[in-house]
Amino acid sequence: ILEAAEGGDLQVITPDLDTIVVDADAGKVLCLWRAVATVAGPSTMCAGIDRLAGYRVALEAADRPYDGSRGGRAAGRWALWRLTVRRALGLRRSWRQKVLPWTLLGLVTIPAAVDLGVRYATRNTPVGEIGFEFLTFRDYVGVSTMLLLFVAVSAPDVICPDRHDRVLPLIFSRPLTGDDYVVAKVGGIFFLVFGFSFLPQVMLYVGQMLVAEDGSLDYVGDHLGILWKVPVACAVLALFYASVAVALASLTDRRIVGGLAFLGTMFIPSI
């Protein structure tokens, strides 16, 4: 590709993205600029943001101003968080990668559905009149085996490949820092665990409110404490699982080792 340069010289861009400035009159090479960066990857992903940042620095070093968008650390954290959530759920991956996480998350809602079915079926029977409770809100917070398995599968899957594929230097080069990386990874796992532990609680609360014999308003008035206790309990549980799982997964580049280490840390002390 030939382009006109300053002073009547010719600027030649080779297929390897090298730039050669040639004196058109004397027929000699004045200077050679080597390509130092190649922009690739979606601009919403951390790899694309890092490469774009490196390309911008290269342009500025060559006195070629960069006029594109500048996301900064906030954009990098947001992109890494979204990438973590997508990978944990198997989105934009093959169907095999979606089976296990979605199956585990679907099983989390089964106790709430069973409780609502039992309450609805026994609402006008002696069992319903004695106030039989198949599952309480406190019990449901403890029903976390499926969430444990989900975290054991998803946390190593979003951490270990970065070590195995040696992309951490690229991620940390610019503009993300180590703290940004940890916050994005823990935040992604926390978001999923909190969402799928809080959603069944909402289902349980609304269902019990609708089948309450004293009426929905009386049920809400008698259970106002649930409206803040359940979200707080789910948030603490999700933060604990996410922090421990990410910390253990960061010590190895093998996903199976990270998952077993997390399960062992959770189950062995309770034996």
Side-chain angles (χ1 to χ4, degrees), residues 21-69:
V21 178
V22 182
D23 188 338
D25 297 330
K28 61 181 180 179
V29 176
L30 298 180
C31 62
L32 170 64
W33 294 340
R34 300 290 300 181
V36 296
T38 302
V39 180
S43 60
T44 58
M45 296 180 61
C46 57
I49 293 175
D50 292 337
R51 291 166 182 164
L52 182 59
Y55 181 67
R56 183 177 67 246
V57 172
L59 289 179
E60 293 174 349
D63 295 328
R64 295 182 176 183
Y66 173 77
D67 298 328
S69 60

Side-chain angles (χ1 to χ4, degrees), residues 74-266:
R77 286 193 298 266
W78 173 243
L80 188 58
W81 180 87
R82 288 189 298 176
L83 178 64
T84 300
V85 173
R86 287 203 305 261
R87 185 175 182 87
L89 295 178
L91 303 179
R92 297 186 181 180
R93 303 174 70 183
S94 65
W95 65 270
R96 296 181 182 87
Q97 305 296 332
K98 299 180 176 65
V99 173
L100 185 57
W102 284 103
T103 300
L104 293 174
L105 294 175
L107 292 176
V108 173
T109 61
I110 289 181
V114 172
D115 180 85
L116 294 180
V118 172
R119 289 178 181 272
Y120 182 80
T122 60
R123 66 188 187 282
N124 296 322
T125 63
V127 176
E129 293 177 357
I130 64 176
F132 171 76
E133 291 185 350
F134 174 76
L135 188 66
T136 64
F137 293 97
R138 183 185 297 273
D139 295 335
Y140 208 106
V141 174
V143 181
S144 55
T145 303
M146 296 303 170
L147 290 177
L148 277 174
L149 294 177
F150 171 76
V151 176
V153 172
S154 60
D157 190 41
V158 300
I159 297 292
C160 296
D162 293 344
R163 289 172 54 91
H164 182 270
D165 299 335
R166 300 179 180 179
V167 298
L168 288 177
L170 175 62
I171 295 177
F172 293 151
S173 62
R174 189 180 182 104
L176 290 175
T177 64
D179 294 339
D180 297 330
Y181 179 86
V182 173
V183 169
K185 293 294 184 178
V186 173
I189 301 299
F190 168 83
F191 171 78
L192 293 175
V193 176
F194 175 80
F196 282 94
S197 60
F198 183 63
L199 182 62
Q201 298 274 15
V202 174
M203 184 191 312
L204 192 65
Y205 187 88
V206 174
Q208 293 183 3
M209 179 184 67
L210 295 177
V211 299
E213 294 183 358
D214 298 333
S216 300
L217 294 180
D218 292 337
Y219 180 86
V220 173
D222 295 337
H223 298 80
L224 289 177
I226 300 297
L227 298 179
W228 69 268
K229 291 179 181 180
V230 168
V232 171
C234 292
V236 172
L237 181 70
L239 182 61
F240 175 70
Y241 283 173
S243 301
V244 174
V246 170
L248 293 175
S250 66
L251 302 177
T252 178
D253 59 356
R254 301 186 62 182
R255 284 173 282 189
I256 184 66
V257 175
L260 292 177
F262 174 73
L263 292 177
T265 303
M266 295 294 105

